[in-house]
Amino acid sequence: MANTEWWQRGPVDGVPTVFQPVAHILLQVGESADELVSGLTEDEWNARPGGVASCAFHVRHMTGVIDRLFTYARGERLSAEQFASIRAEGNPMKADEVSSVMASLHSQIEAALTQLRATDPA
């Protein structure tokens, strides 16, 4: 784990001051997800102890939530593709999908940061 939380590392370049907490939590989510799922087996990704949602679900869900929240922030409606993603969040994950799912999370975080940088704080 990193020695400091993202909010302790200073401002995120190009992000207006008012949006810094959002930028910090987005970056923290990406970093923490990497640390927490590193080395999981396929069985561990898909495990549902006590019936709770799997790690696979949670990583896909985080990606989708970021996408949906930033869609709403732009004043847009969800697309058919976004609704399909919601339905697929709970699907089991194969070992060869892990890198793609994690890349999607990081890509969505970067897209959100780009949107924050372009958003007028007024």
Side-chain angles (χ1 to χ4, degrees):
M1 290 255 177
N3 291 331
T4 58
E5 300 284 318
W6 265 98
W7 67 270
Q8 295 172 308
R9 301 178 202 178
V12 177
D13 288 339
V15 175
T17 303
V18 70
F19 300 136
Q20 286 292 320
V22 178
H24 286 139
I25 196 60
L26 288 166
L27 291 165
Q28 191 68 53
V29 162
E31 185 174 279
S32 294
D34 286 339
E35 292 170 351
L36 293 168
V37 302
S38 176
L40 290 181
T41 66
E42 186 174 310
D43 286 342
E44 291 168 332
W45 270 101
N46 294 301
R48 298 192 61 207
V52 301
S54 68
C55 290
F57 166 81
H58 282 292
V59 172
R60 287 181 178 133
H61 185 64
M62 288 186 298
T63 304
V65 165
I66 294 166
D67 179 37
R68 293 187 291 274
L69 287 174
F70 278 79
T71 297
Y72 298 142
R74 291 188 303 272
E76 298 172 4
R77 300 182 84 148
L78 298 183
S79 67
E81 181 179 89
Q82 287 169 307
F83 282 112
S85 291
I86 291 169
R87 289 187 295 275
E89 287 176 354
N91 292 347
M93 189 183 322
K94 299 285 186 199
D96 63 355
E97 295 176 283
V98 171
S99 62
S100 173
V101 168
M102 293 305 292
S104 291
L105 173 62
H106 289 285
S107 176
Q108 193 59 57
I109 289 169
E110 285 305 315
L113 291 170
T114 298
Q115 184 174 328
L116 287 176
R117 289 181 177 108
T119 301
D120 179 357

